[in-house]
Amino acid sequence: MTETMESKSRRMASLRKKRYRAERRFRRLGFAAVSVGLIFLTVLFGVVLISGFGAFKQTFIQLDIAVLQGSDNYQGMVKQALRDIFPEVKSRRHKRQLYALVSSGATYQLNARIEAEPDLSGKKISAWFPASDDVDMVIKGRIARDGPAELRRVTDQQLRWIERLENEGRIRTQFNWAFFTSGDSREPELAGIAVATLGTLLSLLVCLVLSFPLGVLTAVYLEEFAPRGRWTEFIEVNINNLAAVPSIVFGLLGLAVFLNVFNLPRSAPLVGGMVLALMTLPTIIIAGRVALNGVPPSVREAALAIGASPLQAVFHHVLPLAMPGVLTGTIIGTARALGESAPLLMIGMVAFVVDLPSTILSPATALPVQVFLWADSPERAFEERTAAAILVLLLLTILMNLAAVLLRKKYEIRW
Amino acid sequence: MPVSAMEIPPQMPTNILVLDAGHGAPKIATENLTVFYGDKPALHDINLDIEPNRVTALIGPSGCGKSTFIRCLNRMNDVVQGCRIEGKVTLDGDNIYAIGQDAVHLRTRVGMVFQKPNPFPKSIYDNVAYGPTIHGMYENSDQRDAIVLRSLDRAGLLDEVKDRLRAPGTSLSGGQQQRLCIARAIAVEPEVILMDEPCSALDPIATARIEELITELKEHYTIVIVTHSMQQAARLSNKTAYFHLGRLVEKGDTETVFSDPQDERTRDYVTGRIG
């Protein structure tokens, strides 16, 4: 008898030890998985940050411009200013290389400044103009000065000029406001994300305005009011399917319906938002239904029992309690829409847009599409701008998620 | 001398069994009430009269259908999927299941208190004010204040919460929450209050408090209470109905049902042999 008691307790002890071991193993595996994830995240952010940070600074060259009275040959004035600094440059070839040091945008900036201040005419002004992207790359060390000449886009002659300009204090780097205030450009030093950011924000606004009320109301109807039956089940299955449909398909749908049937303008944030709303809707509906389902039935009963109509019970009591979950779903859906480029390509938001969109009907592009466009460009300087645009995109995502957390917190405290 | 169920002569013209013939028309009466959940019947042919300004206790073992029955009286079963009701339930003579009857309006006349206290996750004040607000029972905030204070007072909660009306209702203790739910129910001035095991989640002290309250409330309201506690039924109620496996087995004056049950099943139950 004691024998069997002993063996029984030994068996139980060994089983207990096994259970503890399994638990420890699971904890260690979980910890390891999280660590690996964090390392990848750090590397990702690090790489993007390192390669994109340079784009927030831009090299400028100081030129002393003699503003000719009554002339609108601003290009000539800029060129003259360059020739004044380097009077020894005579040959056409060298002159062309010299002019290439300053961005072609300098002409427009001078034009704009003189138009704004007409009394400058006839005077000599000293001003900073953006350097060309190649000079920018040299100053930032992205093009090695001592590398073989055929591997860099800057000639030895140009390098000597840059050095002289540096020594004269005519070169400086400062914060690149243009990156945030201007639209796309063929010249990297002039290209910015303003149009893309505004386009993204407008599209998201349209997307939210359409998909949030529609999604929440759909969820409420399906969960609280729709008669259960084969039809409801059919609709449910289809909504789940829609959530898994590749986003480019929604883009095609937008192209076929919004553009070709309704004749809405191409490249417009309105259409972009509508397409993104189609994509976001299933996510919001599913999250909304789960959240509504999670509200204890006692709340519904309490409201109904004092004579609230079913609609009042849902909108006064059930929905507010489900709101944290609904908001989480909405933010997840919108964050996905924020990073989506494929459906926007289909409806023409991939355009080269220089001017800021003034309404949701004017042409615009979106940040992910801008990233896609720049990543495709051959110029070296677009590389860091691509990374910088990704940084801004990530920042927007983080801000949105932060907003979601705060909103959720607020509702949780209130209820 | 009240007429017990067994003594009704068969030639009585109606199949409604009158519990106490001396008190005039019943507040609520059910006629051949049968309830199905899906295909399964949960209640068979219930005929029960509920008298005004009396406490009627529904007792019986778990799953006997007493909760189902009480939820038929204010049509709370309407929201239950697959629930089907046959027969008649009349409130002051009107069939509440007749076509065109408004369940929402019915529930303002027949309030309900549930097993688990379920205050809204709002302030104490808002909990009570919600019903009067959606029914437009006041014209200005002074009247609203008066309704809230009166309801809390009637529910015996005012003294305990008058300094913190803006505190969340969920911050109260279980017993206080249940009294808040009663205050919320009486704020819409119902005629009948249904209570589905209102004390089963409470400790004995809170239970005693609620029982005291029920005794006070029956002056103004008709009360139907489902309870698992025989002592509670005996202490509180004027009338008792015993349910067993979806059938109404016995009904009558509480004293009679407890002291001299006619049916064997009732006797087993009230003497504690089963259930």
Side-chain angles (χ1 to χ4, degrees), chain B residues 41-103:
Chain B
L43 282 179
H44 302 271
D45 268 335
I46 308 293
N47 294 298
L48 182 67
D49 286 1
I50 288 157
E51 285 182 27
N53 293 70
R54 289 281 182 279
V55 177
T56 305
L58 310 179
I59 59 169
S62 295
C64 69
K66 49 193 193 304
S67 284
T68 302
F69 176 79
I70 201 174
R71 291 168 65 95
C72 286
L73 303 185
N74 67 343
R75 293 185 58 174
M76 283 302 281
N77 281 332
D78 286 15
V79 291
V80 177
Q81 204 74 42
C83 179
R84 194 158 51 84
I85 286 150
E86 287 171 9
K88 244 168 123 180
V89 179
T90 59
L91 175 65
D92 288 335
D94 295 326
N95 184 5
I96 62 171
Y97 282 97
I99 293 167
Q101 282 286 350
D102 181 3

Side-chain angles (χ1 to χ4, degrees), chain A residues 235-303:
Chain A
I235 290 170
E236 200 169 311
V237 168
N238 275 291
I239 288 173
N240 290 344
N241 276 342
L242 277 183
V245 164
S247 54
I248 195 155
V249 177
F250 288 110
L252 273 172
L253 180 77
L255 174 64
V257 177
F258 299 147
L259 297 190
N260 291 348
V261 177
F262 294 128
N263 279 320
L264 289 172
R266 226 158 265 273
S267 317
L270 173 69
V271 184
M274 284 160 82
V275 169
L276 293 178
L278 287 180
M279 218 188 72
T280 319
L281 261 175
T283 317
I284 296 183
I285 295 172
I286 292 170
R289 292 191 64 176
V290 170
L292 286 169
N293 202 9
V295 176
S298 67
V299 175
R300 267 173 217 107
E301 287 183 335

Side-chain angles (χ1 to χ4, degrees), chain A residues 32-48:
Chain A
V34 170
S35 309
V36 170
L38 278 180
I39 289 169
F40 275 110
L41 195 69
T42 318
V43 168
L44 172 80
F45 270 94
V47 167
V48 176

Side-chain angles (χ1 to χ4, degrees), chain A residues 113-188:
Chain A
R113 175 146 180 215
I114 291 173
E115 265 176 18
E117 303 168 59
D119 55 318
L120 285 180
S121 128
K123 290 180 187 153
K124 202 169 170 86
I125 55 167
S126 167
W128 292 89
F129 293 97
S132 74
D133 54 321
D134 291 329
V135 176
D136 191 38
M137 289 295 98
V138 170
I139 296 296
K140 286 173 184 167
R142 299 239 165 197
I143 292 179
R145 298 186 196 213
D146 47 5
E150 61 272 16
L151 285 185
R152 50 178 146 84
R153 280 167 47 90
V154 192
T155 62
D156 292 340
Q157 181 64 54
Q158 281 175 319
L159 278 179
R160 278 194 290 278
W161 289 330
I162 291 172
E163 234 161 87
R164 220 173 96 192
L165 283 171
E166 276 181 304
N167 291 338
E168 290 179 19
R170 285 183 179 275
I171 282 187
R172 71 169 188 207
T173 61
Q174 62 184 55
F175 189 75
N176 188 3
W177 286 109
F179 183 70
F180 296 99
T181 56
S182 51
D184 204 1
S185 167
R186 263 182 301 278
E187 307 297 334

Side-chain angles (χ1 to χ4, degrees), chain B residues 120-128 164-170 180:
Chain B
F120 298 129
K122 298 184 174 200
S123 73
I124 294 168
Y125 185 96
D126 290 341
N127 259 286
V128 183
R164 45 178 181 140
L165 289 174
R166 294 285 161 202
T170 42
L180 177 61

Side-chain angles (χ1 to χ4, degrees), chain A residues 226-228 298-310 312-313 316-317 321 414-415, chain B residues 71 74 76 79 81 104 107-108 110-112 114 118 120-122 130-131 134-135 184-185 188:
Chain A
R228 302 256 182 259
S298 67
V299 175
R300 267 173 217 107
E301 287 183 335
L304 291 176
I306 50 173
S309 66
Q312 285 172 327
H316 293 171
H317 300 287
L321 284 178
R414 217 181 111 190
W415 293 103
Chain B
R71 291 168 65 95
N74 67 343
M76 283 302 281
V79 291
Q81 204 74 42
V104 171
R107 294 189 195 118
T108 65
V110 184
M112 190 160 189
F114 295 87
N118 56 356
F120 298 129
K122 298 184 174 200
Y130 178 71
I134 58 172
H135 298 306
R184 184 177 65 188
V188 294

